[in-house]
């Protein structure tokens, strides 16, 4: 195709009519199916871009409407088609149209844009920008019939299902979990109504509903799923009534009713189970062993709690012996003896030696004292020897304290 000379300017943008006749390099066609729908029901706007020449940086934008929700369906498709002895590459896009109000609805603004080669032009890479507008389309939106306005729900098809999870046992205060799901084709999930579950003798607590939209082919599938916690308030048989949902079949233009059957729940009275007489001695014996084990465990805990100061000092003496610290050993032994004789604790190692009857322990205490106050180096102590000496001294302190006076 040859363009007028003034269109060959590099970077120029020009619109081509969408209804151009055979021989056009670029075409953009729009179609609405069906041309007439009920308010809130889905129609399909289909947009086809035909190209007989190479188009770079192609962008296809769908239509807009003031009183409708328009959303793309999938990623579209690309195929080949022959028209007027010319082969076209076709880019097809589909859009779901969900009108908000009845009356004529104009869908406009759909266009395709890109860059095509300019014969003889050297600037801008030898290409110029083009855009193709689709002609506006008018669809007729029907109002809800008077008989269906109170419960208006237009759909191609609708299913109402449920699932139960019963407590074991079924008793007062134990919740039955009932999940109800509505799934409708050709309608947005936000249009699906909130169901009211009512049953005499049962308190019903509804959790927030989960709304979801998805496409099956070119139909929008809206779903609403909600969990109801149904808590019995009395015993005996409780009947949960049948649940009905009225909707309008847009394929047949007829009203329909989807329903869930009634259910009978038996709520048992709380009972106290008694054990056979033969089982009582075994149960009593098991309880006795349990109480004995618990008592021993408590005694161990009390012993550990009471021995905390001695455990702390034992660890302190061990560290000072390993560090070969004679001064630390002295302080630790005096602190140990203060626990044994809190009323009149010895204040020096010599005084501590006078409390002990074992001669080897007394000699060891005097040796440690000489190292501290005599001429020998107090830090020059063998760790292994100190550990043995301190262990012997502490044992003798304990024996002396527990020897009858």
């Amino acid at each position: 195709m040859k363009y007028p000379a003034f269109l060959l300017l590099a970077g120029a943008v020009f619109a081509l009519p969408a209804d151009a006749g055979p021989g056009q390099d670029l075409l953009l066609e729009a179609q609405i199916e069906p041309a007439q729908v009920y308010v809130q029901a889905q129609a399909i706007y289909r947009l086809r871009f035909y190209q007989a020449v190479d188009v770079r940086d192609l962008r296809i934008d769908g239509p807009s409407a003031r009183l409708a929700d328009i959303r793309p369906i999938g990623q579209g498709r690309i195929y080949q088609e022959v028209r007027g002895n010319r082969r076209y590459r076709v880019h097809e896009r589909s859009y779901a149209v969900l009108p908000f109000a009845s009356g004529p609805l104009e869908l406009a603004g759909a266009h395709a844009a890109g860059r095509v080669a300019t014969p003889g032009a050297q600037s801008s890479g030898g290409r110029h920008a083009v855009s193709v507008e689709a002609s506006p389309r008018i669809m007729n939106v029907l109002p809800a019939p008077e008989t269906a306005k109170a419960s208006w729900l237009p759909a191609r098809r609708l299913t109402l299902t449920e699932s139960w999870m019963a407590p074991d046992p079924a008793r007062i205060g134990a919740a039955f979990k009932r999940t109800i799901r509505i799934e409708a084709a050709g309608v947005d999930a936000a249009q699906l109504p909130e169901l009211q579950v009512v049953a005499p003798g049962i308190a019903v607590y509804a959790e927030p509903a989960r709304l979801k939209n998805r496409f099956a082919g070119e139909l929008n599938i809206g779903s609403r799923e909600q969990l109801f916690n149904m808590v019995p308030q009395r015993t005996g048989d409780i009947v949960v009534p049948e649940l009905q949902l009225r909707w309008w079949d847009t394929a047949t233009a007829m009203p329909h009713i989807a329903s869930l059957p009634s259910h009978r729940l038996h709520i048992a009275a709380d009972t106290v189970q008694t054990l056979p007489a033969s089982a009582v001695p075994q149960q009593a014996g098991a309880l006795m062993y349990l109480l004995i084990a618990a008592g021993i465990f408590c005694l161990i805990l009390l012993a550990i709690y009471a021995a905390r100061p001695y455990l702390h000092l034992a660890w302190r003496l061990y560290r000072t012996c390993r560090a070969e610290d004679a001064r630390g050993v002295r302080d630790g032994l005096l602190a140990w003896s203060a626990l044994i004789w809190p009323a009149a604790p010895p204040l020096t190692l010599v005084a501590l030696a006078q409390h002990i009857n074992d001669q080897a322990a007394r000699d060891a205490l005097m040796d440690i004292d000489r190292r501290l106050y005599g001429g020998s180096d107090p830090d020059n102590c063998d760790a292994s020897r100190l550990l043995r000496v301190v262990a012997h001294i502490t044992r003798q302190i304990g024996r002396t304290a527990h020897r009858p006076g």
Side-chain angles (χ1 to χ4, degrees):
M1 174 183 177
K2 294 183 179 180
Y3 295 93
F6 74 94
L7 295 181
L8 300 181
L9 296 175
V13 178
F14 31 161
L16 302 177
D19 55 355
Q24 287 284 4
D25 288 338
L26 305 175
L27 302 172
L28 188 61
E29 295 181 349
Q31 178 186 6
I32 296 178
E33 300 176 3
Q36 180 172 277
V37 296
Y38 285 100
V39 62
Q40 297 179 354
Q42 180 192 340
I44 299 172
Y45 180 97
R46 192 167 285 109
L47 192 62
R48 298 186 183 92
F49 174 70
Y50 294 80
Q51 63 174 97
V53 295
D54 179 50
V55 180
R56 303 286 179 86
D57 304 327
L58 176 63
R59 188 185 74 253
I60 300 175
D61 294 324
S64 60
R66 189 170 59 88
L67 295 175
D69 179 21
I70 301 176
R71 60 188 67 164
I73 301 173
Q75 300 297 319
R77 64 191 187 105
I78 301 175
Y79 56 93
Q80 303 287 329
E81 185 176 318
V82 177
R83 279 193 175 188
N85 297 324
R86 295 197 70 181
R87 182 174 296 276
Y88 288 89
R89 179 181 176 88
V90 184
H91 300 260
E92 184 174 294
R93 304 283 190 273
S94 296
Y95 302 84
V97 181
L98 296 158
F100 302 148
S102 59
L105 179 67
E106 182 182 68
L107 299 165
H111 69 279
R115 295 187 303 118
V116 300
T118 303
Q122 301 299 322
S123 60
S124 298
R127 292 182 176 273
H128 64 272
V130 294
S131 67
V132 185
E133 297 284 341
S135 299
R137 292 290 184 263
I138 305 295
M139 62 182 292
N140 185 32
V141 181
L142 300 175
E146 289 295 330
T147 57
K149 280 186 176 180
S151 56
W152 180 240
L153 179 57
R156 300 282 184 93
R157 59 181 181 272
L158 184 142
T159 58
L160 182 62
T161 57
E162 66 177 343
S163 62
W164 287 76
M165 183 179 295
D168 186 18
R171 55 182 174 79
I172 294 176
F176 289 79
K177 295 185 179 296
R178 185 187 190 186
T179 302
I180 299 178
R181 179 180 176 84
I182 311 171
E183 188 168 279
V187 65
D188 186 76
Q191 301 302 129
L192 301 178
E194 180 180 358
L195 298 177
Q196 300 297 325
V197 176
V198 179
I202 292 183
V204 181
Y205 305 96
E207 296 190 4
R210 295 186 294 272
L211 304 180
K212 184 179 179 181
N213 287 298
R214 62 180 177 86
F215 281 103
E218 291 185 320
L219 277 181
N220 184 80
I221 307 296
S223 64
R224 179 188 182 95
E225 187 174 278
Q226 193 163 20
L227 174 64
F228 297 88
N229 294 292
M230 306 178 66
V231 183
Q233 304 295 298
R234 63 175 176 82
T235 59
D237 289 338
I238 299 179
V239 176
V240 179
E242 178 188 29
L243 184 64
Q244 293 187 343
L245 175 61
R246 299 180 182 275
W247 64 285
W248 185 268
D249 190 337
T250 58
T252 62
M254 294 289 293
H256 285 276
I257 297 177
S259 63
L260 296 174
S262 63
H263 298 272
R264 183 181 297 275
L265 308 179
H266 180 73
I267 311 303
D270 289 335
T271 58
V272 179
Q273 295 184 351
T274 59
L275 295 172
S278 60
V280 172
Q282 297 179 6
Q283 295 291 335
L287 180 60
M288 180 181 68
Y289 289 128
L290 181 62
L291 290 175
I292 292 173
I296 293 173
F297 181 71
C298 290
L299 289 174
I300 293 173
L301 289 179
L302 288 173
I304 293 174
Y305 181 81
R308 283 186 308 160
Y310 295 96
L311 293 175
H312 175 73
L313 278 178
W315 175 245
R316 174 180 167 186
L317 282 168
Y318 173 79
R319 287 188 302 169
T320 55
C321 290
R322 296 293 297 175
E324 300 179 357
D325 180 7
R327 293 186 179 87
V329 169
R330 176 200 60 190
D331 295 340
L333 289 173
L334 292 177
W336 189 283
S337 62
L339 292 175
I340 301 298
W341 299 289
L347 301 179
T348 64
L349 293 181
V350 174
L352 176 58
Q354 293 174 359
H355 283 72
I356 300 175
N357 295 325
D358 183 79
Q359 188 59 45
R362 297 178 64 166
D363 291 343
L365 287 169
M366 298 305 295
D367 182 60
I368 295 173
D369 189 72
R370 282 193 298 272
R371 287 180 176 274
L372 290 170
Y373 301 106
S376 58
D377 184 2
D379 295 325
N380 186 19
C381 300
D382 180 72
S384 300
R385 180 178 177 275
L386 271 178
L387 283 172
R388 292 193 301 269
V389 168
V390 168
H392 181 72
I393 293 172
T394 54
R395 282 196 302 270
Q396 294 305 318
I397 290 175
R399 289 176 182 174
T400 302
H402 292 91
R403 184 178 295 115

